[in-house]
């Protein structure tokens, strides 16, 4: 089993990133390593340049993301942790796969439509071909499985379509160039909403810092944000059904359940009938208890640029070695002479 997954180095990681993706990465890393498989986690810095960006911020955010992932439990000895830029095969394979990908396929990508909006003529070519790079990211390593959320299932389907067409056009059935990866949809991926609006996802782009719990927040800040989180005047219900139509209450209870490792009904069994005056301090204490070690490690690591660069360099060396056979096979299949 070989798992490949990437995350954009956007900086300012928050509780939604941790519960929605990173915590599952750590769990998968440990399970896959125990089973003799491999996990590759990369920082998608090449994807980041498909949209306007500040170069200095991208460099800083890349290192900060390494610090955050390691602080959350990604172990460079158990996993291969690297950034795309240090493995040129990602960009090379994307170009080679551009000959197989079809304009119609890319035009149907929901994220292309959403991000380009009405200004498609002004959007970058990189934004349009972004899914081909995503396909290269996983096909390069013969990934057997890719963890995906609902918003990424379409991109994995495209990767499979590209792999299948390439194999059909340039390989034989008994010796395909690419493995068709299967999706892993983590069953426990929590959907964390804004602390100011239970109908919107927790996001770093929200102008209000009170809308999110950042991994850099100290204990006092976490408690303040939780106590000021938007709620309603009703006490908590005794069962999950009672949270219907109460998005802010459902969000806070869901966060508690995710952090405590239990289900929502178990939380309501303890707090049903109680008001938020009792529930919010308990939630704040739980968050502080669980996030304090992550925060301390993160703050320590982000100051050590040499250590972060070493983690990326060593991970990239291992990734390049794994990528080389697939890249060579792709060139050969296409009839390209490399000398």
């Amino acid at each position: 089993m070989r798992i490949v997954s990437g995350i954009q180095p956007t900086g300012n990681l928050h509780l939604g990133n941790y519960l929605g993706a990173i915590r599952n990465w750590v769990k998968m890393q440990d399970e896959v390593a125990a089973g003799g498989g491999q996990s590759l986690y990369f920082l998608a810095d090449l994807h980041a340049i498909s949209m306007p960006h500040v170069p200095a911020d991208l460099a800083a955010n890349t290192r900060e993301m390494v610090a955050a992932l390691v602080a959350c439990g990604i172990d460079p000895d158990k996993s291969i942790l690297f950034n795309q830029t240090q493995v040129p095969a990602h960009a090379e394979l994307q170009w080679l796969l551009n000959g197989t990908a079809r304009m119609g396929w890319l035009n149907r990508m929901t994220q292309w439509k959403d991000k380009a909006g009405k200004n498609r003529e002004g959007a970058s070519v990189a934004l349009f071909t972004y899914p081909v790079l995503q396909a290269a990211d996983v096909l390069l390593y013969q990934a057997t499985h890719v963890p995906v959320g609902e918003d990424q299932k379409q991109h994995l389907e495209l990767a499979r379509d590209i792999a299948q067409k390439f194999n059909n056009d340039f390989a034989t059935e008994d010796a395909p160039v690419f493995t068709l990866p299967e999706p892993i949809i983590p069953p426990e991926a929590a959907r964390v909403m804004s602390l100011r609006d239970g109908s919107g996802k927790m996001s770093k782009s929200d102008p209000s810092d009170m809308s999110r719990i950042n991994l850099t927040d100290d204990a006092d800040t976490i408690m303040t944000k939780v106590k000021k989180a938007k709620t309603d005047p009703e006490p908590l219900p005794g069962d999950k059904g009672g949270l219907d139509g109460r998005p802010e209450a459902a969000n806070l209870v869901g966060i508690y359940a995710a952090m405590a490792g239990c289900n929502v009904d178990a939380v309501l069994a303890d707090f049903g009938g109680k008001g938020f005056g009792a529930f919010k301090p308990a939630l704040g204490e739980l968050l502080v208890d669980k996030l304090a070690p992550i925060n301390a490690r993160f703050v320590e690591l982000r100051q050590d640029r040499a250590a972060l660069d070493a983690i990326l360099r060593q991970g990239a060396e291992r990734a390049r070695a794994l990528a080389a056979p697939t890249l060579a096979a792709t060139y050969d299949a296409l009839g390209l002479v490399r000398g």
Side-chain angles (χ1 to χ4, degrees), residues 41-315:
Y41 298 125
F42 65 89
L43 308 183
D45 49 359
L46 293 179
H47 286 292
I49 66 173
S50 65
M51 297 289 283
H53 75 287
V54 178
D57 289 348
L58 177 56
N61 288 343
T62 298
R63 293 186 176 93
E64 184 171 293
M65 182 68 80
V66 179
L69 292 176
V70 173
C72 288
I74 295 296
D75 184 345
D77 291 329
K78 290 183 179 179
S79 300
I80 299 177
L81 179 59
F82 63 100
N83 60 310
Q84 285 172 308
T85 297
Q86 294 195 54
V87 186
H90 284 253
E92 286 185 69
L93 186 59
Q94 181 196 17
W95 180 254
L96 299 181
L97 295 179
N98 277 339
T100 297
R102 292 295 180 255
M103 295 282 287
W105 298 353
L106 298 180
N107 264 320
R108 288 193 290 272
M109 293 293 106
T110 302
Q111 285 198 2
W112 156 247
K113 296 175 184 177
D114 292 344
K115 290 188 176 182
K118 296 180 180 179
N119 186 33
R120 292 193 185 183
E121 294 296 317
S124 73
V125 173
L127 184 62
F128 184 67
T129 61
Y130 181 113
V132 185
L133 179 56
Q134 280 194 320
D137 293 335
V138 298
L139 299 179
L140 184 61
Y141 300 104
Q142 305 292 343
T144 60
H145 296 81
V146 178
V148 292
E150 286 297 322
D151 59 339
Q152 292 296 328
K153 286 175 67 177
Q154 188 185 34
H155 285 178
L156 184 60
E157 289 166 4
L158 176 73
R160 288 173 56 88
D161 288 342
I162 291 173
Q164 185 66 68
K165 179 170 174 52
F166 189 99
N167 287 340
N168 290 343
D169 292 350
F170 303 109
T172 60
E173 188 174 342
D174 59 343
V177 173
F178 297 116
T179 299
L180 272 61
E182 297 289 339
I184 295 178
I185 301 175
E188 300 174 8
R191 184 174 170 84
V192 182
M193 313 307 279
S194 165
L195 299 181
R196 310 302 294 166
D197 176 8
S199 64
K201 286 180 67 175
M202 186 174 287
S203 170
K204 83 175 192 71
S205 61
D206 191 311
S208 172
D209 191 59
M210 296 297 290
S211 69
R212 58 188 168 268
I213 303 292
N214 302 305
L215 294 188
T216 52
D217 289 341
D218 59 25
D220 290 342
T221 303
I222 291 173
M223 289 297 293
T224 297
K225 288 181 175 180
V226 171
K227 288 180 179 179
K228 291 187 176 182
K230 182 180 178 182
T231 50
D232 56 50
E234 301 299 320
L236 288 171
D239 59 59
K240 187 177 180 179
L243 293 172
D244 291 346
R246 300 176 64 184
E248 285 79 24
N251 184 40
L252 295 185
V253 172
I255 290 173
Y256 192 106
M259 295 302 291
C262 63
N263 59 40
V264 167
D265 284 323
V267 178
L268 295 176
D270 289 337
F271 292 96
K274 296 180 181 178
F276 287 100
F279 181 69
K280 283 183 174 180
L283 174 59
E285 289 172 7
L286 176 63
L287 285 168
V288 168
D289 180 61
K290 297 291 187 180
L291 295 179
I294 294 174
N295 175 275
R297 180 71 172 133
F298 178 44
V299 171
E300 175 191 358
L301 274 171
R302 70 194 301 213
Q303 310 298 327
D304 193 344
R305 176 170 170 170
L308 299 176
D309 286 350
I311 290 171
L312 289 177
R313 184 172 60 252
Q314 291 160 12

